[in-house]
Amino acid sequence: PGQEVKELRVRTVFDMRPDFSFFFFFLQAHHVFTLTLKCVKSVLNGNLFVLSESTYLGKMPPKFGMIAALEGDLDTSDGVGKVFFRQDSSPDALRRAAEHINRAFPEDDEVNPTNAVVVTWVDVATHEPQSRGDAVGKNRNTFQLVIASLETASYAILLYARDGIQFSSTPVKHSSAVMHAGFSKGSVRGYLFSSQGPYYRTTTDDEASVRALADGYKSLFSPYRETNSGLRGVWVYEIGTSPYFSNVAPGEVTDLPTESTPRESPERFDDTRGPAYTDGQQLVYPPYESEGEQIEVHPVQYQPHQPGNPEVVVVDDTDINVDVFSYNLGSCANNRHKCSQFADCKDYSSGYCCHCRPGFYGNGIQCLSEGKPQRINGKVNGNVYVGNSPSPVEFSSNDLHSYLVVNDGRSYVAISDITDTIGPSLLPLSAIGGVIGWAFALEQPGFKNGFSIIGGEFTRQAEVTFLPGNERLTITQEFKGIDEHDHLAMSTTLEGRIPEVPRGSTVQIDRYSEIYQYSNNLITSSSTREYKVILPDGSTETRSYQWRQTITFQSCQHDESLRGVNPTQMLSVDQVFVMYDASNELIRFAMSNKIGDVNGGQPVENPCFTGRHGCDTNAVCRPGQGTQFTCECAVGFNGDGRTCYDIDECREDPQICGSHAICNNQPGTFRCECEDGYLFGSDGHTCIEANQPVDACEEGTHTCDIPERAQCSYTGGSSYICSCLPGFIGDGRICQDIDECQPGRCHQEAVCYNTEGSFTCQCRAGYYGDGFYCSPGKTKTRCETHRDSLLAVTEYGPRGPRPPVGQYIPTCDENGAYEPMQCHGSSGHCWCVDRNGQEIPGTRSGPGSRPSCIDHGGVPPPIGPTPRPDVHPLPAGTHLLFTQSGRIEHVPLEGYNMKKDDAKPVLHLPEKVIIGVAYDCVEKMVYWTEITSPSISKASIQGGEPIAVITSDLDSPEGIAIDHLGRTMFWTDSVKDRIEVASLDGSQRRVIIDSDLVNPRAIITDPPNGNLYWADWNRDAPKIETSYMDGSNRRVLVKDDLGLPNGLTYDFQSSLLCWADAGTHKMECMHPGRGDRRKVMEGIQYPFGITSFGKNIYYTDWQRDAVVAVDHYTGKESDEFQPQKRTKLYGITTAYAQCPSGQNYCAVNNGGCTHLCLATPTGRSCKCPDNAASVGCVERDGGY
């Protein structure tokens, strides 16, 4: 009485879509922990979940998601009541779960769960006696919840033992309320406001409905149905089916078997309590088992925080996965290489485990030399708000370095590039480096530090809540193991808000202790910390924060010795030092760490355990009797222990690495590297000669047809593929010309002439046109109309029409276009004109000289303002263009290699989030989409100001692609869920796809073949689709085994369609016409944009902040470029030095269309823009 009882919650998320469907167990038992089913991913939000009990007790539904087995303010602090939970995949447990489910749903197909989570409340009482006189303080409830899951569905099985419900109300403040059972999704956020989501009530506001859960008697006075499973006390619910997991369906069998005398069940459990029976049916799953897998929820009484008093803080954890790790299937015979080189492999009856050898410590997978100092390197990313600031301080790959003197438990952490806007406010957060101190803490007798137990691969998440302002910060740290230099690699992400500490202030943190609780693959700790802020005027403020951390890792389940680890250990942290160096923009944390007994244990005087031994930093302290000890140099060092020197293993044994290898000495160890042309064999140690693959396509030793008819594509190793070029047919080794002159190829008033690999169309006599479109009367071009309008008013002389003296008459070429150079017949002046006949300023020359005019089909000279000083026009050659927030950059290509030293910004667009990028190889223009003020813009690659192309009726334009032949652009809008096309100047907009799209992003064109490809990363049903450029003949190319297909590219040479998937972490390719899908690479991190050039595929990666090159024939990464600005990279495209070869029907005279000409494989479609106000627009469908 008088002590507040904190809550235990377990949340299991059944859906990963943005509109999460949440259910979580509601457990009153003083602890916070997390369970994860193998078939679902556990994700919990990062919010501190502290609610007044009066806001939800006795109320159904509550405003948050819950599975309530029996909601109430329950107490286990008296030592009688207990709460247990476990994940159980044993055949016996799964069989019984299946029996309950199949009995409750007899009309459905039989199900067989693959995993179960079992939570058992045994003899739990209310938190305090009620005042109603029903003596519930002496009454106790026993009940159980089982979550059984398979790939496509999950079920909740609730079991209430006979006589197990002895009280049915719960205290709330100074009153009481009826307990409840049921399900609730909680509040659902709408567009303008939140509303109550779906819920299902098992009980009502009547206490009799609670008692009926176990007793189940139905009478005139108790109208509640007995069961929904066919067994009294057993209630079964389907709580979700793939892919939505949003419904709750009760069991369908409400009839009970004839009442019988309880009898012994033929199936008994190894359970010290014995099974519970109801009507001869075994109901309750055993709360604990002999294997030690069961986890008991121990009561920890909450007390007002005091310095050094560990406290349980209620925080919902995020991204926690505590699935039992099963890396040990097999034996040491074929898995020895998975152990550290300083470990031995040991076989067990159920698998194998790795154990560090004497002189080393760790988990067997990662082993370090005892006594040797340790270094840790990593990066810090994230966004942190300071005080009431509306904008965050961004961390973008800030360096984090740590140095640890392991033999006395000292740890030092430094983070660079910390500006004074946040530096002082980070000083209280020694918790950033706290887990490092725990991992390498000085061990007291009988206790182990973190690295000794779990090694160097684990994930730590801490939730920090500052008081009294409730600012919240999430710290996520991933430890990635030991690198080749014996350094531990890690990454840190900070997200949230922290209170402001004024500039010029210092922070003082007193010594503190934390209790760490250990279970299978999960370690938790929590505490309240106080710190003093010494302000610049000398005054002080005492502040505090609550924090809770969860460490998840993968352990070997076969080693019994790990179960001897103390379930609770105390980390004692002394001499805490924090400092912000404003001049160097560095923040430093230093502390001394020891791991030992929660109760303090016996005073330890031996210097090895106090850290006051004076041994060399590269030595281990060996305790003796009393205060006696010896210093012993770590493995790889020589000396007396007081002074240790590195052993140069490479010099002492030049052949230590074997033949064709190079030995590199490092402090305390050495490293072997194979010479050029050699690589490590399957044993990981011997260098063997590398088999150099032969590219038959490049060597010219292939058997493909001649280059004029076929293409050779190298596929890695000694393999290659022969394929006929467009216009030819065959197996690639023999290709024959296709007679394209089929009916419908040319206009009906034109003649088709077949040529080698192609064809031409020519209008018949009396008709005019390009052969694809012919008309009886020749339509005059703009130049011809201009010329003839002037000649119409000329005088006629003896030699025919003659213009008046001084009149300029334009000259037109054979196709009716303006000649690039125009001259005045009388004055002799000449000048250059553009394709519209307009004079280009600065090109006029006097009589007797001629300007150098560029043909209209070539590259126009740059027009407009010169580039700004920080923007560099592109030199000649092929380049990669990629986008970041606020800029577009380029990387030149030399062959297929990125010239990283020559990478420069092309265009700066501050405060703009640029997503997609495309390149027009004809006019040398770069086009891009941006979503801050949704728009599509362009700029000359040679310099000049941006030009807005489309600024209206856009919500989130993302992907963009150019048809350089038809002079059109295509883009996706992921909010409007549609694909549009327009002319390159932004006119003639038309929606071509507006159905069955959810999250369209990447889009690419294949202009010579008239095809369009796009990807939709809809999490529920991702897909890659194609259509003709007019939107017709739409079809799905890929829909299976996709996750988040963010990027697409089409290689014109190999005709390969390739994509990068951030969900499956794979890169794959296929020939769209053949569907021969193949994997190029797997294990990529978070790709976004993708492009191809020759043998290479280049993609942008959000996690690596880099452009990565992959050889799509060998499937290996060949290069990486990280720009100077380390932020997310979005779209990427190839800026070709010359346009790819090929033509389509829209390339000449706009395909004879009046407005939009959209190519198809067999012709083109003439389409009108959506604003059909265009006069004289004529539509014709594709194929003509």
Side-chain angles (χ1 to χ4, degrees):
Q3 291 179 325
E4 181 182 354
V5 177
K6 290 295 181 177
E7 301 158 359
L8 168 87
R9 293 195 176 85
V10 184
R11 169 179 289 181
T12 302
V13 179
F14 296 95
D15 192 2
M16 291 300 299
R17 294 175 296 119
D19 56 331
F20 297 106
S21 297
F22 287 145
F23 293 106
F24 68 96
F25 315 123
F26 183 92
L27 316 178
Q28 287 292 134
H30 319 293
H31 274 277
V32 178
F33 62 88
T34 304
L35 299 177
T36 303
L37 304 183
K38 283 188 177 179
C39 64
V40 297
K41 180 177 179 182
S42 178
V43 174
L44 291 84
N45 64 29
N47 296 326
L48 186 69
F49 208 120
V50 179
L51 292 175
S52 171
E53 293 169 344
S54 62
T55 63
Y56 56 83
L57 287 179
K59 298 178 180 179
M60 175 63 79
K63 294 185 180 299
F64 51 87
M66 104 169 20
I67 293 179
L70 198 55
E71 176 198 32
D73 188 0
L74 308 181
D75 185 15
T76 62
S77 62
D78 57 5
V80 178
K82 295 181 182 298
V83 179
F84 302 91
F85 73 92
R86 73 177 187 271
Q87 175 178 305
D88 198 332
S89 301
S90 66
D92 184 56
L94 297 180
R95 175 185 57 79
R96 280 178 288 161
E99 288 176 355
H100 286 311
I101 296 169
N102 294 324
R103 185 191 311 109
F105 296 96
E107 301 299 324
D108 294 352
D109 293 337
E110 184 174 301
V111 301
N112 292 289
T114 56
N115 267 275
V117 171
V118 183
V119 189
T120 309
W121 291 260
V122 181
D123 293 334
V124 292
T126 55
H127 175 58
E128 58 186 3
Q130 291 183 325
S131 60
R132 296 175 51 183
D134 51 2
V136 294
K138 297 180 181 179
N139 293 337
R140 299 181 181 278
N141 287 350
T142 296
F143 52 96
Q144 192 172 54
L145 170 64
V146 180
I147 297 294
S149 293
L150 54 157
E151 184 175 357
T152 57
S154 291
Y155 295 84
I157 307 170
L158 296 102
L159 305 104
Y160 303 92
R162 175 68 67 90
D163 299 326
I165 306 299
Q166 297 179 4
F167 61 91
S168 54
S169 60
T170 181
V172 180
K173 289 186 176 181
H174 303 295
S175 181
S176 65
V178 176
M179 303 174 77
H180 284 291
F183 306 80
S184 172
K185 187 174 182 178
S187 295
V188 177
R189 186 181 298 275
Y191 183 72
L192 297 175
F193 52 86
S194 297
S195 60
Q196 174 62 47
Y199 64 93
Y200 182 92
R201 297 185 60 169
T202 304
T203 59
T204 69
D205 293 332
D206 187 345
E207 291 189 35
S209 67
V210 180
R211 292 190 292 270
L213 293 173
D215 297 334
Y217 289 112
K218 185 174 182 181
S219 67
L220 295 175
F221 305 101
S222 179
Y224 305 105
R225 62 180 178 178
E226 299 94 335
T227 180
N228 65 13
S229 71
L231 277 182
R232 178 169 288 114
V234 181
W235 303 80
V236 181
Y237 300 88
E238 183 183 60
I239 56 176
T241 53
S242 176
Y244 301 107
F245 295 109
S246 59
N247 61 303
V248 174
E252 300 168 351
V253 179
T254 58
D255 296 328
L256 288 172
T258 304
E259 195 76 23
S260 61
T261 303
R263 65 184 186 276
E264 185 73 352
S265 172
E267 302 177 14
R268 295 190 62 88
F269 295 98
D270 181 13
D271 176 7
T272 58
R273 293 185 65 251
Y277 303 98
T278 298
D279 299 334
Q281 301 293 333
Q282 192 166 338
L283 296 184
V284 181
Y285 286 61
Y288 34 83
E289 295 184 343
S290 59
E291 296 91 281
E293 297 282 336
Q294 189 74 20
I295 300 172
E296 180 178 353
V297 182
H298 298 281
V300 175
Q301 290 293 337
Y302 172 82
Q303 299 174 2
H305 68 268
Q306 300 172 1
N309 177 41
E311 176 187 352
V312 175
V313 180
V314 186
V315 180
D316 282 353
D317 303 301
T318 68
D319 294 329
I320 295 175
N321 188 334
V322 292
D323 282 345
V324 175
F325 185 48
S326 58
Y327 74 95
N328 297 343
L329 299 177
S331 65
C332 292
N334 54 2
N335 289 283
R336 171 65 186 83
H337 63 282
K338 295 181 180 179
C339 299
S340 166
Q341 61 177 319
F342 306 115
D344 295 319
C345 186
K346 182 179 179 181
D347 283 315
Y348 294 87
S349 59
S350 57
Y352 71 94
C353 287
C354 305
H355 302 282
C356 295
R357 296 168 185 159
F360 296 87
Y361 67 104
N363 67 343
I365 303 294
Q366 311 273 335
C367 296
L368 294 172
S369 175
E370 290 181 346
K372 181 182 173 183
Q374 184 61 41
R375 295 185 182 273
I376 300 178
N377 302 314
K379 300 289 185 181
V380 181
N381 293 282
N383 294 278
V384 178
Y385 295 82
V386 179
N388 296 319
S389 173
S391 57
V393 176
E394 180 182 8
F395 290 82
S396 181
S397 295
N398 298 54
D399 287 321
L400 181 150
H401 297 286
S402 178
Y403 180 77
L404 299 113
V405 184
V406 179
N407 62 14
D408 64 10
R410 284 178 291 146
S411 63
Y412 304 90
V413 179
I415 306 175
S416 61
D417 298 324
I418 305 295
T419 63
D420 60 0
T421 58
I422 194 173
S425 302
L426 287 177
L427 288 174
L429 287 171
S430 60
I432 295 176
V435 70
I436 296 174
W438 164 79
F440 296 95
L442 182 62
E443 297 173 343
Q444 302 302 291
F447 294 88
K448 298 289 186 181
N449 62 28
F451 193 90
S452 295
I453 300 173
I454 68 174
E457 295 183 8
F458 57 91
T459 299
R460 179 260 194 148
Q461 179 160 306
E463 302 286 350
V464 184
T465 301
F466 294 85
L467 303 176
N470 282 329
E471 296 91 349
R472 296 170 185 170
L473 180 73
T474 300
I475 305 171
T476 304
Q477 293 175 306
E478 182 180 358
F479 289 78
K480 304 175 182 178
I482 303 297
D483 64 16
E484 64 271 17
H485 305 293
D486 271 352
H487 296 172
L488 185 59
M490 65 173 293
S491 64
T492 300
T493 303
L494 305 176
E495 296 288 346
R497 186 179 297 274
I498 60 178
E500 183 177 12
V501 173
R503 293 174 183 168
S505 302
T506 58
V507 169
Q508 177 181 326
I509 302 175
D510 294 333
R511 64 177 60 187
Y512 61 88
S513 298
E514 296 171 7
I515 293 177
Y516 281 71
Q517 297 176 326
Y518 297 75
S519 62
N520 285 340
N521 298 339
L522 179 66
I523 300 171
T524 60
S525 70
S526 57
S527 67
T528 294
R529 293 189 192 165
E530 288 187 347
Y531 59 95
K532 292 181 181 178
V533 178
I534 297 92
L535 300 172
D537 61 3
S539 60
T540 63
E541 294 180 0
T542 299
R543 304 181 183 179
S544 66
Y545 60 78
Q546 296 175 331
W547 83 295
R548 170 180 166 79
Q549 73 170 350
T550 303
I551 298 170
T552 56
F553 60 97
Q554 298 171 336
S555 66
C556 186
Q557 301 296 309
H558 313 294
D559 182 10
E560 298 289 337
S561 64
L562 286 178
R563 297 180 182 176
V565 175
N566 286 289
T568 57
Q569 301 188 57
M570 178 174 285
L571 177 71
S572 300
V573 182
D574 302 326
Q575 303 172 11
V576 184
F577 173 78
V578 295
M579 185 192 74
Y580 174 63
D581 183 352
S583 59
N584 293 308
E585 294 190 335
L586 282 172
I587 189 166
R588 303 178 189 273
F589 304 101
M591 58 198 76
S592 179
N593 310 275
K594 297 177 185 177
I595 194 78
D597 193 345
V598 172
N599 300 314
Q602 295 297 320
V604 177
E605 301 297 336
N606 193 290
C608 290
F609 302 125
T610 63
R612 300 184 180 92
H613 45 67
C615 298
D616 190 273
T617 55
N618 291 298
V620 60
C621 182
R622 301 293 187 190
Q625 294 293 327
T627 59
Q628 298 298 311
F629 69 96
T630 57
C631 298
E632 180 184 311
C633 290
V635 176
F637 293 87
N638 271 335
D640 60 4
R642 298 283 180 173
T643 305
C644 298
Y645 305 94
D646 176 49
I647 300 173
D648 189 342
E649 294 88 352
C650 300
R651 178 177 296 179
E652 291 192 358
D653 184 1
Q655 301 301 317
I656 193 171
C657 288
S659 58
H660 306 296
I662 302 170
C663 181
N664 291 325
N665 185 60
Q666 296 176 359
T669 185
F670 65 95
R671 182 186 178 202
C672 298
E673 297 177 355
C674 292
E675 297 174 346
D676 290 341
Y678 292 83
L679 46 80
F680 285 117
S682 59
D683 62 358
H685 302 292
T686 307
C687 294
I688 60 176
E689 187 173 3
N691 293 324
Q692 299 294 335
V694 177
D695 185 347
C697 297
E698 186 174 333
E699 296 290 332
T701 57
H702 59 82
T703 58
C704 302
D705 206 336
I706 61 174
E708 289 76 15
R709 292 195 289 263
Q711 174 181 283
C712 178
S713 301
Y714 177 59
T715 57
S718 300
S719 303
Y720 58 90
I721 295 175
C722 299
S723 55
C724 295
L725 294 175
F728 297 89
I729 190 171
D731 61 1
R733 289 173 168 76
I734 300 177
C735 299
Q736 297 178 340
D737 176 54
I738 299 173
D739 186 356
E740 290 92 350
C741 289
Q742 303 299 323
R745 278 285 183 171
C746 301
H747 193 269
Q748 59 185 3
E749 298 299 338
V751 178
C752 180
Y753 298 94
N754 186 56
T755 60
E756 184 79 358
S758 186
F759 69 99
T760 59
C761 296
Q762 183 176 335
C763 294
R764 303 180 189 275
Y767 290 85
Y768 300 90
D770 60 358
F772 298 113
Y773 178 73
C774 302
S775 60
K778 183 179 179 182
T779 303
K780 293 183 179 181
T781 65
R782 183 169 184 169
C783 179
E784 292 168 338
T785 303
H786 184 189
R787 179 194 63 195
D788 294 346
S789 65
L790 295 173
L791 291 175
V793 296
T794 58
E795 300 174 355
Y796 287 81
R799 296 181 180 86
R802 185 178 60 188
V805 177
Q807 178 67 56
Y808 154 66
I809 302 296
T811 55
C812 308
D813 63 14
E814 60 182 2
N815 294 319
Y818 285 98
E819 291 281 3
M821 184 180 69
Q822 299 287 324
C823 296
H824 196 291
S826 301
S827 67
H829 288 87
C830 295
W831 60 92
C832 299
V833 297
D834 60 20
R835 64 181 66 222
N836 294 320
Q838 299 297 311
E839 180 178 349
I840 298 174
T843 60
R844 185 176 287 265
S845 64
S849 63
R850 297 285 178 101
S852 297
C853 300
I854 299 177
D855 187 81
H856 298 144
V859 180
I863 303 173
T866 57
R868 290 164 290 199
D870 57 349
V871 177
H872 303 268
L874 290 187
T878 298
H879 304 259
L880 298 177
L881 297 173
F882 63 89
T883 67
Q884 286 180 285
S885 180
R887 67 169 63 184
I888 299 175
E889 291 201 22
H890 84 97
V891 185
L893 293 179
E894 188 172 39
Y896 302 126
N897 300 321
M898 294 184 286
K899 297 174 65 177
K900 293 180 276 190
D901 293 340
D902 296 333
K904 294 181 177 67
V906 176
L907 195 63
H908 284 266
L909 298 162
E911 300 180 359
K912 302 290 187 182
V913 179
I914 307 169
I915 304 297
V917 62
Y919 181 68
D920 176 21
C921 58
V922 176
E923 296 184 337
K924 309 298 183 187
M925 300 286 285
V926 57
Y927 289 74
W928 66 89
T929 63
E930 70 101 354
I931 58 175
T932 359
S933 50
S935 62
I936 299 175
S937 305
K938 66 179 179 178
S940 171
I941 209 70
Q942 303 299 331
E945 294 295 327
I947 301 169
V949 179
I950 296 178
T951 58
S952 62
D953 198 23
L954 296 173
D955 282 347
S956 184
E958 296 189 10
I960 185 170
I962 302 294
D963 174 7
H964 67 280
L965 300 176
R967 315 306 296 147
T968 52
M969 62 179 175
F970 300 79
W971 70 91
T972 61
D973 193 313
S974 65
V975 173
K976 292 186 176 295
D977 296 335
R978 67 191 189 191
I979 297 174
E980 290 190 68
V981 65
S983 299
L984 290 180
D985 61 359
S987 64
Q988 305 188 51
R989 288 178 64 175
R990 180 184 178 94
V991 176
I992 58 172
I993 302 288
D994 62 356
S995 63
D996 198 22
L997 292 176
V998 177
N999 294 113
R1001 175 170 287 157
I1003 187 168
I1004 50 173
T1005 58
D1006 174 16
N1009 296 309
N1011 288 318
L1012 192 66
Y1013 303 95
W1014 67 89
D1016 187 333
W1017 60 269
N1018 172 17
R1019 289 181 185 271
D1020 291 332
K1023 58 185 175 181
I1024 297 172
E1025 295 187 271
T1026 183
S1027 73
Y1028 297 161
M1029 284 189 170
D1030 61 357
S1032 64
N1033 196 35
R1034 178 184 177 183
R1035 60 200 184 279
V1036 176
L1037 286 178
V1038 185
K1039 64 178 180 178
D1040 298 323
D1041 298 323
L1042 291 178
L1044 296 173
N1046 279 335
L1048 277 181
T1049 185
Y1050 183 81
D1051 179 48
F1052 299 104
Q1053 294 180 343
S1054 63
S1055 300
L1056 282 175
L1057 175 71
C1058 301
W1059 64 91
D1061 194 312
T1064 63
H1065 306 290
K1066 294 179 184 178
M1067 182 183 295
E1068 299 182 78
C1069 293
M1070 70 180 298
H1071 287 85
R1074 302 204 293 261
D1076 50 348
R1077 178 178 177 180
R1078 71 179 181 88
K1079 179 180 66 180
V1080 175
M1081 189 178 184
E1082 59 183 346
I1084 56 180
Q1085 296 186 26
Y1086 205 106
F1088 189 87
I1090 183 174
T1091 190
S1092 57
F1093 181 65
K1095 70 182 183 67
N1096 276 356
I1097 295 175
Y1098 306 87
Y1099 72 91
T1100 58
D1101 193 292
W1102 273 15
Q1103 291 191 1
R1104 298 168 65 172
D1105 294 334
V1107 177
V1108 184
V1110 174
D1111 187 321
H1112 72 79
Y1113 295 127
T1114 64
K1116 295 182 178 179
E1117 181 179 319
S1118 58
D1119 202 359
E1120 177 190 69
F1121 168 65
Q1122 290 184 320
Q1124 184 176 5
K1125 182 181 180 183
R1126 298 298 300 277
T1127 60
K1128 285 181 179 177
L1129 280 64
Y1130 294 94
I1132 186 170
T1133 192
T1134 305
Y1136 294 95
Q1138 294 181 335
C1139 289
S1141 60
Q1143 290 289 321
N1144 66 23
Y1145 291 88
C1146 296
V1148 178
N1149 198 28
N1150 198 39
C1153 297
T1154 59
H1155 289 74
L1156 282 173
C1157 180
L1158 304 175
T1160 65
T1162 59
R1164 74 282 197 201
S1165 292
C1166 294
K1167 296 296 182 182
C1168 296
D1170 287 335
N1171 61 350
S1174 304
V1175 179
C1177 182
V1178 178
E1179 286 201 349
R1180 294 185 176 91
D1181 289 330
Y1184 91 98

